[in-house]
Amino acid sequence: MSWFIRGLRAGVLTENLPEGQNLPASLTPGLPRRTDFATEQEALEITSLCPTGALRAEERAVHVTSERCVECMRCKPEQDWRRDADWARFADGGPLEGAFTRSIHVRIVDAGDCGSCLSELAQLNGPSYNLHRFGIFITPTPRQADVLLVVGPVTRQMLDPLKLAYEAMPAPKRVLAVGACAASGGVFGPSVMCAAGAADAVPVDLVLPGCPPPPLAIVHALRALCGQERPA
Amino acid sequence: MLAEAVTALRSRWSCVDWSIERDSICASISPDDLRAITKYLISQEWRLGTIVATETHGQLELRYCLYATRHPGWVQLVIAPDRMERAVPSLTPVTIAADWFEREIEDLFSVSFAQHPRLGDFVLHDSQWAENAGLMRPGVHTSGDLSEQQREWRPKRVLEEEGAFVMPIGPIFSGDAESALFLLETVGEDVVRAVPRLFYKYRAIEKIAEGRTAADVLLLAERCAGTSAIGNGLAYCRAVERASGVEPPARAHVVRGFVAELERLRHHMTSVREICASTSLTVAASQALWLEEQLLRISGETCGHRYLFGVLAIGGLQHDVDDGALRACVAGAAALSPKIDQLRTALENSSSFLDRIERVGVVGREAARTFELVGPFARAAGVAADMRVIQPYDPYPCVHFDVPTESEGDGYARLRVLFAEMRASLGIMSELCAELAPGATRAPAAIRAGSALGWSEAPRGASVQWVELDDEGVVRRYRLTPPSFRNWHGFHVATEGFAFQDFPIVLATLDLSVAENDR
């Protein structure tokens, strides 16, 4: 049997987006969100579990700085965790304007990623998520890119290549920081060899937390960048 | 067996004080004896696991850890070179496997290795760092913008023929490739040699770990390579547990083995997908990608995280995984098994695909042995090195499984090993699931001062780690030797005299992680 026929036989495996976004298994584990506890003491105890300072107690409530969360799951049973796909947040610039509102090209730069964000990015072009249907394409050259997608905390030895890639892009351009490392340095930065995320090297427009953010959340962020969808 | 080994060592080097500590033969030796003892051990089929450099109060100490391949057990040779000279004899002339270890230590501890063939630009790039930066030495921190200190760096070239040139690929290349620079030296059509320049992604995990609690360093061990979080995390947990005398409960061992195999299954599916994608076989790549996504979802449903972060804890598991979830996981993975087999059969019957991976990226048995390669890479070349068998740890001694090997050492042999290991992992998962008994999943973590080795068979091969703790449970020294660091060392063997268009295929079939190497 030829591969062509084999491909047709597999049928359509693509998830329905954006309406059918409620796919809990693909959004595992989600992100912690603001939770109210019975006592102030309890809130403080939960906060002390967090290794990266993502949790902050205010009286009985525990607030979450999502950018810092590395999904270590220590607060998991007690703290509430959200299971939607709407994780991204605009830092500065809004969506790309004009001609870029429908279709964009994205250059991915690995600035010290552990491999899990890249693995989730690889899923985007797979049958389950099929990024192409939104007019979003991953391009091998920054010269054709509208969006620079940065993963990893930005290591010292990747700092210059990252800046060069950004400079090589034509304007208007946007930068999307994907994952806890690119958003805040994650478990690695700031430290001797790592910066505190992509914002230390290039102007970041949209921040997507998660360790790693699942493909659905990345799709959501990319669509927000080209104005197809509104971020929270 | 260890007693026999120590007797043999005592008879040869009677003035050295050999002692047995648990499963290791330990000895402080003179730097002058290092080569002779190592040479003897390697002739007795011992293999270099890692070299740990430590510096306290200006005193440097090098610990050479070797493991036996014929029986369980380790040898730890410790040398303390002269304070002033910071020079030690190089082991590279005895075993090429020591080459990269010594280059790394030279960069990070500014130690010079006498008679090492090639030191210099390695972990710390010469274009940004002065020689003798010694980043890992106590009290050395960097500050300021390093890009101000730009210096010119040129790759070494060997070809002198007219028209010869170096084609650089990277550090940023391809769609979602990891950052690394490849220098392909060529006279036109064929690439004569390819040299990787790595460590663009060097995050200095070993340096960050110093001064953090043992529990927080686990986060670093898991995220050293997100695609083998359990593999590297387990070796770290075992090192801490052995250092402080914590014994995880039986159920924790079973579940740990289960998730390690689940990770291996998913990781190998990723490798298969990358091989299919590198040959532009899009339908097969899409099918592998879909299978990979299903395995990620199964992992998420079973343990709460798609990449299995946060499953392990020092002393056992962070949260118990209930029997129902594990059984559902086995059922889910078993349901995918026929689809995996169909993909394998279809690939094995595609002559155009086989033409592109057969006799490509060949690393033979001899090279795999001399470079001491690990994991599926070595097994495809006929070296059946597998830490689950040669240095067994729970729960593997009571599980039945085969370690598949092939002999050709080419891309196709590696693909067959990956498929065979996926089947073996499925078998181990269902066997472990049947053994499940209720019980505690975490021993009280009473972390004591101490130091120990920990190891595991990660998806890409042996992960060997060393940890030294103080009495407050804070990590003083963390040494991480992931499998990719060993296997990148053999990369240039696979890339001798190949055609340009085969480069992505060679790279994909070798199944190497840059993140895991760069740490």
Side-chain angles (χ1 to χ4, degrees):
Chain A
M1 201 196 312
S2 79
W3 282 104
F4 176 69
I5 305 284
R6 213 173 263 130
L8 287 180
R9 287 236 171 124
V12 178
L13 299 170
T14 307
E15 309 290 353
N16 237 345
L17 280 181
E19 293 77 17
Q21 266 178 4
N22 216 357
L23 296 160
S26 60
L27 283 164
T28 315
L31 273 179
R33 66 171 163 213
R34 190 204 138 117
T35 311
D36 290 311
F37 288 89
T39 63
E40 204 170 319
Q41 183 59 29
E42 211 178 319
L44 283 171
E45 271 168 29
I46 295 299
T47 312
S48 70
L49 293 175
C50 184
T52 54
L55 302 183
R56 179 171 44 84
E58 255 178 46
E59 294 180 355
R60 292 191 297 111
V62 172
H63 298 264
V64 182
T65 313
S66 306
E67 287 80 0
R68 294 229 181 103
C69 176
V70 293
E71 298 185 350
C72 66
M73 321 241 274
R74 290 186 195 170
C75 67
K76 182 83 178 186
E78 287 81 18
Q79 187 84 9
D80 265 355
W81 282 52
R82 50 189 282 193
R83 296 289 281 271
D84 58 348
D86 189 4
W87 296 11
R89 185 180 57 75
F90 273 111
D92 240 344
L96 278 161
E97 284 156 20
F100 300 107
T101 48
R102 292 249 157 250
S103 174
I104 49 170
H105 281 67
V106 181
R107 169 68 240 192
I108 298 168
V109 173
D110 163 19
D113 180 55
C114 73
S116 60
C117 284
L118 284 174
S119 171
E120 295 293 49
L121 286 165
Q123 278 297 336
L124 296 181
N125 276 336
S128 309
Y129 300 101
N130 187 14
L131 193 64
H132 288 186
R133 68 188 142 148
F134 301 111
I136 304 173
F137 304 93
I138 290 166
T139 171
T141 163
R143 300 257 183 236
Q144 295 171 353
D146 309 303
V147 173
L148 185 70
L149 192 160
V150 186
V151 289
V154 185
T155 57
R156 276 180 189 272
Q157 294 178 160
M158 270 311 286
L159 183 69
D160 291 337
L162 175 63
K163 283 182 176 165
L164 285 174
Y166 178 76
E167 281 159 21
M169 289 167 61
K173 52 190 166 187
R174 291 286 182 267
V175 177
L176 169 59
V178 168
C181 290
S184 69
V187 285
F188 301 116
S191 64
V192 274
M193 288 297 279
C194 299
D200 279 7
V202 286
V204 171
D205 298 295
L206 189 65
V207 178
L208 176 62
C211 190
L216 279 180
I218 305 174
V219 172
H220 192 280
L222 287 169
R223 296 188 71 212
L225 254 188
C226 58
Q228 295 181 12
E229 200 162 325
R230 297 180 68 81
Chain B
M1 293 302 280
L2 215 51
E4 283 168 34
V6 82
T7 315
L9 283 165
R10 276 194 187 120
S11 68
R12 271 156 219 267
W13 288 276
S14 50
C15 49
V16 175
D17 179 21
W18 300 96
S19 62
I20 296 186
E21 286 171 26
R22 203 157 42 170
D23 43 19
S24 292
I25 300 171
C26 302
S28 287
I29 58 166
S30 142
D32 303 330
D33 286 338
L34 179 67
R35 281 191 187 169
I37 297 176
T38 316
K39 193 168 186 174
Y40 165 74
L41 286 170
I42 285 171
S43 72
Q44 299 298 305
E45 300 291 323
W46 291 71
R47 297 283 171 259
L48 188 62
T50 187
I51 304 177
V52 189
T54 328
E55 189 176 326
T56 19
H57 308 302
Q59 178 59 58
L60 184 76
E61 183 190 283
L62 293 177
R63 183 180 296 266
Y64 297 78
C65 306
L66 295 95
Y67 58 92
T69 53
R70 291 174 178 166
H71 55 84
W74 292 73
V75 165
Q76 299 183 24
L77 304 170
V78 180
I79 61 169
D82 190 280
R83 259 171 188 263
M84 305 314 290
E85 285 180 21
R86 298 190 80 80
V88 271
S90 166
L91 263 192
T92 308
V94 176
T95 168
I96 190 74
D99 175 17
W100 277 24
F101 286 107
E102 293 181 342
R103 290 178 69 183
E104 185 184 3
I105 294 168
E106 194 245 4
D107 261 12
L108 297 179
F109 286 88
S110 34
V111 180
S112 68
F113 289 90
Q115 290 178 309
H116 190 289
R118 189 164 66 115
L119 294 166
D121 188 82
F122 193 56
V123 178
L124 303 179
H125 291 171
D126 283 358
S127 46
Q128 288 193 357
W129 298 81
E131 274 304 314
N132 301 321
L135 187 74
M136 281 294 290
R137 298 181 65 182
V140 175
H141 297 284
T142 59
S143 57
D145 189 2
L146 279 168
S147 49
E148 299 294 313
Q149 304 163 19
Q150 281 291 339
R151 272 190 304 262
E152 202 184 359
W153 172 81
R154 281 184 182 285
K156 265 197 190 121
R157 295 176 57 169
V158 291
L159 279 185
E160 286 174 2
E161 216 166 316
E162 197 183 337
F165 65 99
V166 175
M167 163 128 164
I169 298 180
I172 301 175
F173 69 106
S174 184
D176 50 18
E178 290 192 85
S179 295
L181 176 63
F182 299 94
L183 299 154
L184 311 186
E185 220 173 325
T186 175
V187 274
E189 198 59 37
D190 286 348
V191 180
V192 179
R193 58 170 214 150
V195 182
R197 191 192 196 209
L198 300 164
F199 293 103
Y200 281 91
K201 290 166 56 160
Y202 177 59
R203 289 154 288 170
I205 287 181
E206 292 178 6
K207 182 93 177 173
I208 302 173
E210 288 176 4
R212 292 203 185 176
T213 63
D216 286 356
V217 173
L218 175 58
L219 301 176
L220 295 169
E222 286 175 326
R223 285 159 186 78
C224 146
T227 47
S228 54
I230 299 290
N232 290 309
L234 186 57
Y236 170 74
C237 286
R238 284 176 30 81
V240 174
E241 286 155 8
R242 286 158 53 86
S244 48
V246 175
E247 181 51 42
R251 185 180 167 87
H253 283 309
V254 175
V255 178
R256 278 177 171 190
F258 185 94
V259 289
E261 296 311 316
L262 177 59
E263 179 180 79
R264 198 179 320 277
L265 177 62
R266 191 216 62 229
H267 168 270
H268 286 4
M269 190 39 89
T270 310
S271 308
V272 169
R273 181 253 295 171
E274 281 171 357
I275 295 172
C276 295
S278 74
T279 60
S280 306
L281 196 57
T282 342
V283 176
S286 291
Q287 292 187 347
L289 203 53
W290 183 81
L291 286 166
E292 188 191 339
E293 172 69 12
Q294 304 313 306
L295 289 168
L296 284 166
R297 289 184 187 181
I298 289 173
S299 308
E301 277 168 358
T302 312
C303 304
H305 195 287
R306 283 159 65 90
Y307 291 86
L308 305 167
F309 294 174
V311 173
L312 300 174
I314 313 285
L317 306 170
Q318 180 159 240
H319 306 298
D320 191 10
V321 186
D322 71 68
D323 293 11
L326 293 173
R327 275 195 289 271
C329 177
V330 171
L336 293 176
S337 172
K339 290 203 161 67
I340 298 174
D341 287 339
Q342 274 168 22
L343 180 65
R344 195 198 68 228
T345 318
L347 288 173
E348 282 173 354
N349 289 316
S350 296
S351 55
S352 63
F353 172 72
L354 296 184
D355 284 347
R356 304 207 65 188
I357 62 166
E358 270 179 318
R359 288 181 294 284
V360 161
V362 180
V363 177
R365 186 178 155 81
E366 205 40 54
R369 275 174 57 98
T370 46
F371 284 89
E372 295 190 11
L373 304 181
V374 293
F377 191 175
R379 297 195 275 273
V383 178
D386 188 324
M387 293 306 246
R388 295 174 294 176
V389 178
I390 54 177
Q391 296 295 332
Y393 53 95
D394 285 332
Y396 295 104
C398 24
V399 185
H400 308 280
F401 62 101
D402 293 327
V403 178
T405 52
E406 298 286 345
S407 55
E408 296 91 338
D410 62 350
Y412 187 33
R414 291 193 281 272
L415 185 79
R416 292 200 305 274
V417 167
L418 291 175
F419 273 114
E421 287 189 9
M422 278 196 260
R423 183 177 294 170
S425 289
L426 274 168
I428 300 174
M429 280 164 66
S430 50
E431 196 176 330
L432 286 174
C433 196
E435 272 176 33
L436 275 176
T441 49
R442 192 168 177 180
I447 292 176
R448 291 199 308 257
S451 56
L453 275 169
W455 62 89
S456 74
E457 181 73 16
R460 295 182 190 88
S463 179
V464 180
Q465 309 194 13
W466 165 267
V467 71
E468 194 183 323
L469 303 160
D470 70 12
D471 30 67
E472 276 156 15
V474 170
V475 173
R476 267 205 208 137
R477 173 81 173 102
Y478 174 40
R479 169 80 182 134
L480 170 58
T481 313
S484 290
F485 179 70
R486 309 305 303 273
N487 285 348
W488 271 109
H489 194 196
F491 173 80
H492 71 280
V493 181
T495 52
E496 270 164 20
F498 68 102
F500 265 117
Q501 66 270 24
D502 287 340
F503 178 69
I505 301 175
V506 175
L507 200 57
T509 61
L510 294 182
D511 182 24
L512 301 163
S513 161
V514 180
E516 200 176 55
N517 173 77
D518 290 6
R519 284 160 283 164

